[in-house]
Amino acid sequence: MNFLKELRKVKDESHRFVDYVTNQLIGYARYMVDNGASVISIADPTATGEILGPRMFGDYAVVYINKLVDAIHEMGVPVIVHICGRMQAVTHHIANLHADAISVDALVSLKKLKEAYPQLTTMGNLSTFLLEFGEEPNIQRGTEQLIQDEINILAPACGLSTSTPLSNIQTFTGAAKAV
């Protein structure tokens, strides 16, 4: 929380710090690409509209995510950007991200996001909670809904829990393959 407050209070220092961290992430991405990574996924659990708000999302998240994405693109590798949480306050910024695919939390309607920004490649967003604790018919229906909504890449919303039953993952992938 202290750092988030500092983003407003000491902007120049905050930008220098976030730029430094971004440069370190570019180096890490280079290491991954040099060792065979064919796609990089950037998960940002902090850069949400709920935490940053629209102005700071545009001033910080968009700027530095794009710096990282652009550097990875220069390495010849596609990039997925995942933004956690609700996005109503920052949805208008999403089309400004240079990512090859946008992944979002299960709380966000990918269908509406895709309708608002048809140029986006959308990814996700079957509930991680549903995958871990849900019954197979519900997972099947959720997957079919994503397909009906013409989501480009089917994936869990926020990754997988280590306790997600294999049968639930198989239901998810089986429903996707059935189409």
Side-chain angles (χ1 to χ4, degrees), residues 9-79:
K9 292 180 183 177
V10 285
K11 291 179 184 180
D12 290 341
E13 290 177 30
S14 295
H15 278 286
R16 277 194 301 276
F17 176 74
V18 178
D19 190 58
Y20 172 81
V21 170
T22 303
N23 289 331
Q24 299 308 305
L25 291 171
I26 291 168
Y28 180 56
R30 166 58 64 201
Y31 181 79
M32 291 190 297
V33 170
D34 288 348
N35 284 279
S38 58
V39 65
I40 302 284
S41 180
I42 301 168
D44 197 332
T46 307
T48 70
E50 297 166 296
I51 294 173
L52 290 182
R55 192 176 96 240
M56 287 200 326
F57 186 89
D59 290 348
Y60 288 96
V62 171
V63 170
Y64 295 104
I65 288 172
N66 281 343
K67 180 177 179 177
L68 178 55
V69 169
D70 291 345
I72 295 168
H73 281 157
E74 288 177 14
M75 298 173 207
V77 174
V79 181

Side-chain angles (χ1 to χ4, degrees), residues 15 23-24 32-33 57 60 63 70 75 80 82 85 88 95 110 112 135 143-144 146 160 166 169:
H15 278 286
N23 289 331
Q24 299 308 305
M32 291 190 297
V33 170
F57 186 89
Y60 288 96
V63 170
D70 291 345
M75 298 173 207
I80 300 163
H82 175 83
Q88 292 93 327
L110 274 178
K112 289 180 182 176
E135 296 179 9
T143 306
E144 290 169 353
L146 290 171
L160 288 173
L166 181 58
I169 297 169

Side-chain angles (χ1 to χ4, degrees), residues 95-123:
N96 297 326
L97 293 174
H98 299 168
D100 298 285
I102 301 295
S103 168
V104 295
D105 204 325
L107 304 166
V108 178
S109 168
L110 274 178
K111 180 181 180 180
K112 289 180 182 176
L113 186 64
K114 194 167 186 65
E115 287 170 354
Y117 304 100
Q119 75 278 13
L120 291 179
T121 298
T122 51
M123 179 174 168

